Amino acid sequence: MKTIGFAGLVALVLSACATVEPFPKDAVLEGSITYGAYVVPLPEGRWTVIGEQKGPSGAHMKLGRLALARFRGDGAVDRVMTIDTVLSYGSRRGGGWMMERDCERENMHYVKKVVNTLSERECYYVNHFTPSAFSGGNSHARFADELRRRGVAIPANAIAAFFNQADKMNRLVVTVVFNPEAEGLPPSPDSDWTNTEWNSRNIDRYPERKAYVDKIVAWTKAWEPRYREAFGRPK
């Protein structure tokens, strides 16, 4: 992907030291990134900041979501990553979150629930979704629109690994999205979420796609301890 000279200079600086906010769009990072209170490990490769969404400042806290993409040499994107966390606290530090329904689901490719209550959450899961359908004003739609603006094709289906952790006051949700089309797998003939070949109830009939998902599940299991440690939980 082509970047202007300033972005390249920023990339060298940010790769050489701990990163701090704000993150210029097109900054390129490797190894890890400091976002909110956490040093978040980045998967292998060079990651480009494509956008950030911050929640309004309230009496309790301000939330942030940072999006990064990993581009191949031909400009295609093979992975997108988002980091959701608390950026700052207000005058009243009210605690607690909604319980995460995805932690309780059984119709995904992989779910590992350690705990899921109003005061504590730790779960990991892998599932498919349809990023080409993103629309409207939410942050994921804006991140998808940013990729389109760069001329990047959005896959009909993608596979995402979720690392979802919280306690009464804090949260760290890391999502890594894999683009199977960038790795040579053809789009599903039916992109509907339920009917697609990538759906967990259909995928056993498609060995090539099943092998790809199994690879993502294995990758997720290998990275769980790293994001657990990043949140501050013991190894």
Side-chain angles (χ1 to χ4, degrees):
M1 183 187 65
K2 295 180 180 179
T3 57
I4 60 175
F6 173 75
L9 177 61
V10 170
L12 291 175
V13 173
L14 293 181
S15 296
C17 62
T19 61
V20 294
E21 292 187 73
F23 298 98
K25 188 180 288 187
D26 288 331
V28 180
L29 307 135
E30 295 183 84
S32 64
I33 181 172
T34 300
Y35 193 55
Y38 302 105
V39 178
V40 181
L42 296 174
E44 60 279 0
R46 294 165 59 83
W47 292 82
T48 301
V49 175
I50 61 170
E52 184 179 18
Q53 177 69 29
K54 295 181 179 180
S57 298
H60 296 296
M61 60 187 61
K62 175 189 285 188
L63 303 179
R65 173 177 289 158
L66 188 71
L68 307 95
R70 197 178 80 171
F71 294 95
R72 300 189 319 191
D74 61 2
V77 64
D78 63 359
R79 297 187 191 182
V80 172
M81 178 177 182
T82 61
I83 305 168
D84 296 69
T85 192
V86 180
L87 297 181
S88 62
Y89 292 97
S91 57
R92 290 185 288 126
R93 295 182 58 172
W97 307 92
M98 297 292 290
M99 289 180 64
E100 180 59 70
R101 290 183 296 177
D102 283 340
C103 296
E104 306 296 331
R105 288 176 56 182
E106 297 180 354
N107 62 339
M108 295 194 287
H109 294 295
Y110 168 69
V111 181
K112 176 182 176 181
K113 182 185 76 171
V114 179
V115 61
N116 182 34
T117 68
L118 294 175
S119 60
E120 189 174 8
R121 182 195 313 150
E122 182 184 1
C123 58
Y124 313 96
Y125 41 97
V126 174
N127 202 21
H128 82 285
F129 71 100
T130 54
S132 58
F134 282 162
S135 61
N138 65 54
S139 60
H140 285 110
R142 284 192 283 272
F143 298 152
D145 287 342
E146 172 62 20
L147 291 174
R148 293 187 184 98
R149 187 190 67 79
R150 294 167 182 254
V152 176
I154 305 297
N157 292 274
I159 306 298
F162 299 84
F163 305 86
N164 194 330
Q165 301 186 85
D167 59 25
K168 286 184 177 180
M169 300 305 310
N170 310 285
R171 77 170 184 177
L172 176 63
V173 182
V174 176
T175 307
V176 182
V177 182
F178 297 79
N179 179 4
E181 295 177 25
E183 298 189 38
L185 279 77
S188 174
D190 192 334
S191 60
D192 177 77
W193 189 90
T194 300
N195 297 325
T196 179
E197 297 168 356
W198 293 103
N199 190 290
S200 61
R201 71 180 186 182
N202 304 328
I203 199 167
D204 285 340
R205 302 198 299 270
Y206 305 96
E208 187 179 25
R209 299 185 193 277
K210 180 66 163 60
Y212 182 83
V213 169
D214 288 346
K215 180 178 70 173
I216 303 307
V217 170
W219 181 92
T220 302
K221 292 178 178 179
W223 276 75
E224 286 170 12
R226 300 187 66 173
Y227 289 118
R228 177 183 173 88
E229 184 179 3
F231 189 66
R233 300 183 191 273
K235 293 183 179 180

